Amino acid sequence: MPKHLPFMSIGVICYNDGATLKRAIDSLLALNYPRKKSEIILVDDGSTDNTREIAESYKTRIKYIRLPKNQGISAARNAGLKAATGEIYVNCDADCVVNKDWLRQLAKGYKLNEPIGIGGRLAEIETEEKQSILRQYIGARGGGFPPVVEDEKDRAQSTPSPFKRLWRYITSNLSQANASIKAPIEVTDLYGANASFPVKV
């Protein structure tokens, strides 16, 4: 465990996710990370459901930012980043539930040699709801291992095409679907719902 626990600003992106939002916030409030070392920023991307009422029920326990209209996930994440006061900006989505040691595990990664981002796996939550195509895809791949960097040429390339990224996800699944990560691995992509970055980056 790092001796220095960085201040983590958790940006929770929400658009008409009232059905899952309370579950997500409650899991974040239950983290075993010092409360004085973290903050929760809920970015409401122009929701038209009961998102605002849910957010306001938490009073001072979260920062609530409401965008006047739906602007998309990139704008919402950037709004959360702008409001962040921590050293590390952590991405989370309103339909996620985090493990109690989530922030502590991410913090371990920042003991490494100046990483530009630290992330983890995604695992499907068992529900009776119909799964989206994305959720089915993540579940089929064994929990969402990001693809490993193959060589220096790949690292130097600009953002790969969607087809190349899909191919990397599929091929990485073949070798890692049933693997258990015992040590950090270098990757080319981080999942948006489980990614963190130094604010200075």
Side-chain angles (χ1 to χ4, degrees):
M1 179 57 52
K3 291 181 181 176
H4 166 69
L5 290 175
F7 190 109
M8 303 278 209
S9 296
I10 307 166
V12 181
I13 307 308
C14 183
Y15 176 64
N16 289 340
D17 289 312
T20 58
L21 180 59
K22 186 177 186 312
R23 181 183 68 190
I25 294 173
D26 287 345
S27 76
L28 292 169
L29 291 173
L31 286 164
N32 65 0
Y33 201 79
R35 188 161 288 189
K36 64 182 180 179
K37 288 283 200 170
S38 66
E39 64 181 349
I40 301 169
I41 305 164
L42 174 63
V43 182
D44 179 353
D45 191 15
S47 297
T48 57
D49 64 357
N50 63 337
T51 292
R52 184 175 200 141
E53 290 78 12
I54 294 169
E56 289 175 347
S57 73
Y58 287 92
K59 301 187 180 352
T60 60
R61 299 175 80 187
I62 64 172
K63 290 183 181 179
Y64 175 65
I65 299 169
R66 179 173 171 79
L67 302 182
K69 63 179 182 176
N70 182 253
Q71 298 178 42
I73 195 164
S74 296
R77 290 214 196 279
N78 286 333
L81 176 60
K82 188 175 180 181
T85 60
E87 302 164 64
I88 308 296
Y89 184 54
V90 185
N91 292 330
C92 188
D93 291 341
D95 61 350
C96 292
V97 173
V98 300
N99 290 332
K100 288 188 176 185
D101 66 343
W102 180 53
L103 287 188
R104 288 185 179 272
Q105 292 299 321
L106 291 176
K108 284 182 182 179
Y110 288 98
K111 274 192 80 174
L112 303 176
N113 187 23
E114 297 187 9
I116 59 170
I118 299 292
R121 296 177 65 180
L122 301 178
E124 183 63 30
I125 298 171
E126 294 294 329
T127 67
E128 294 180 3
E129 301 169 11
K130 185 177 179 183
Q131 295 180 354
S132 68
I133 292 174
L134 176 60
R135 287 183 177 180
Q136 292 176 40
Y137 171 64
I138 290 170
R141 336 187 25 259
F145 276 103
V148 177
V149 171
E150 295 162 6
D151 55 39
E152 289 297 324
K153 183 180 176 186
D154 278 350
R155 184 182 289 111
Q157 288 178 344
S158 60
T159 304
S161 72
F163 298 109
K164 187 164 186 178
R165 289 187 68 191
L166 177 60
W167 177 248
R168 284 180 177 172
Y169 282 123
I170 292 170
T171 57
S172 68
N173 181 47
L174 295 176
S175 61
Q176 299 181 32
N178 298 313
S180 177
I181 295 179
K182 302 294 184 190
I185 58 172
E186 188 173 349
V187 296
T188 56
D189 301 88
L190 294 175
Y191 288 98
N194 189 359
S196 65
F197 306 91
V199 169
K200 64 183 180 181
V201 173

